[in-house]
Amino acid sequence: MKTWKIGDVMTRDVVSVNEDASYHDLVDLLVGRRISAVPVVDGFGRVTGVVSEADLLRKIEYGGDEQPRIFERRRRRGERAKATARTASGLMSAPPVVALASMPLAAAARLMDANGVKRLPVTDDLGRLVGIASRGDLLRTYLRTDDEILADVRAEVLRPFLADEADGVTVTVTGGVVGLSGRVDRWSSADIAERLTHQVAGVIEVSSALSYALDDRKVEAPPGPFGTY
C-alpha cells in the first residue's frame, strides 16, 4: 500500500536566500511574503541553514549590547552574536533540520516534534532544496474526502491483503472515520484489515466490527518429528 511521503504534501514553490543576503533584505522578504522563516542555500542549492523571525529579532532583543556577561551561557552567546550579524550566514540557525522528500509523514512529524520546529526544508538525496513542509502541510492529508479514503481502503488494504475474503467486508467512511463490518475466515485477517486501514492517509479512526470463523491466535503448530520441547 502507498505510504505518503513528505514530498507528496510539501510546497514546491519555496523561497530561499543565499548566504550573503543582508539583514534588511531578509526582513523585507519575510514581511513582504508573510512567511516566518526562509531556508538559506549555498551556490549548489544545498540547504546550509534557516533564518527565522526569532533569529532576526535578536538585534532588537539585545539592542546593540555587544558585551557578553561573565559566565554567560553558550546559547545566549550565540544569540548575542546573531544580534551583530549582517548577513544570512551569521543570522541563520545551523545546522538545519531538514527532511528528505522520501521521508514518511509520520517520521517527518516526529522530526518536527523532537526538534521543536514548525517547518522542514525538504531536500533531494544530494541535500539540494526541493520544497518546504509546514505542520499544516502534514495535516493536509486529513482533508482528503471520504470517497478517496474509501477507494484506498478497498484498493490498498482489502484487495491485496485479504484476497478472497475482501467480498465479505463492508467499508464505510464518515468524516474520516472508517467502519469495517462483515465476516472473514480468520482473526488474523480481521486484525490485518484494521491495522492497515489505520495507515491509510486521512484516516482519523477505525471502528471494526469484523467477525471471524477461526481464532488462529489459538492454533498451535503440529509437533515436529522429534516432538515438542
Side-chain angles (χ1 to χ4, degrees):
M1 62 183 295
K2 177 181 177 179
T3 300
W4 279 54
K5 308 289 197 304
I6 197 168
D8 295 322
V9 301
M10 70 183 184
T11 299
R12 297 181 182 275
D13 183 19
V14 56
V15 179
S16 65
V17 298
N18 55 35
E19 294 175 334
D20 61 0
S22 70
Y23 183 93
H24 180 274
D25 288 342
L26 289 164
V27 172
D28 187 55
L29 178 64
L30 266 60
V31 173
R33 293 295 190 102
R34 295 184 179 181
I35 54 178
S36 58
V38 62
V40 183
V41 298
D42 63 13
F44 298 97
R46 296 174 300 200
V47 182
T48 58
V50 174
V51 175
S52 68
E53 290 174 328
D55 294 322
L56 297 176
L57 285 171
R58 300 305 176 204
K59 193 172 291 292
I60 298 175
E61 180 180 352
Y62 287 92
D65 180 11
E66 302 177 11
Q67 297 301 317
R69 300 175 183 177
I70 300 176
F71 306 123
E72 190 170 55
R73 293 182 179 179
R74 181 183 300 177
R75 177 181 175 182
R76 289 189 64 83
R77 289 201 301 271
E79 292 173 349
R80 191 180 298 278
K82 288 184 180 182
T84 63
R86 297 182 179 180
T87 63
S89 60
L91 291 160
M92 67 186 185
S93 296
V97 181
V98 301
L100 286 171
S102 58
M103 178 178 284
L105 292 186
R110 287 193 292 268
L111 183 63
M112 281 186 178
D113 182 62
N115 290 276
V117 296
K118 298 178 180 180
R119 69 200 61 79
L120 291 171
V122 184
T123 68
D124 61 15
D125 293 337
L126 297 178
R128 296 173 301 195
L129 184 67
V130 295
I132 195 164
S134 67
R135 293 173 178 175
D137 291 323
L138 268 61
L139 291 172
R140 209 188 320 163
T141 57
Y142 292 99
L143 297 179
R144 301 184 74 210
T145 68
D146 290 344
D147 287 342
E148 290 173 326
I149 295 171
L150 177 61
D152 279 357
V153 172
R154 287 173 174 167
E156 298 183 10
V157 177
L158 299 186
R159 291 171 190 164
F161 292 100
L162 268 66
D164 296 337
E165 298 175 273
D167 291 338
V169 179
T170 299
V171 185
T172 60
V173 185
T174 305
V177 178
V178 179
L180 300 174
S181 60
R183 187 173 180 84
V184 293
D185 292 339
R186 296 175 172 83
W187 171 88
S188 57
S189 296
D191 181 58
I192 288 172
E194 182 175 357
R195 286 191 292 109
L196 293 183
T197 298
H198 271 289
Q199 298 178 30
V200 172
V203 172
I204 296 173
E205 184 180 344
V206 179
S207 176
S208 178
L210 288 172
S211 60
Y212 43 85
L214 173 66
D215 188 346
D216 50 356
R217 292 173 295 180
K218 302 176 182 178
V219 175
E220 298 181 0
F226 301 104
T228 57
Y229 54 90

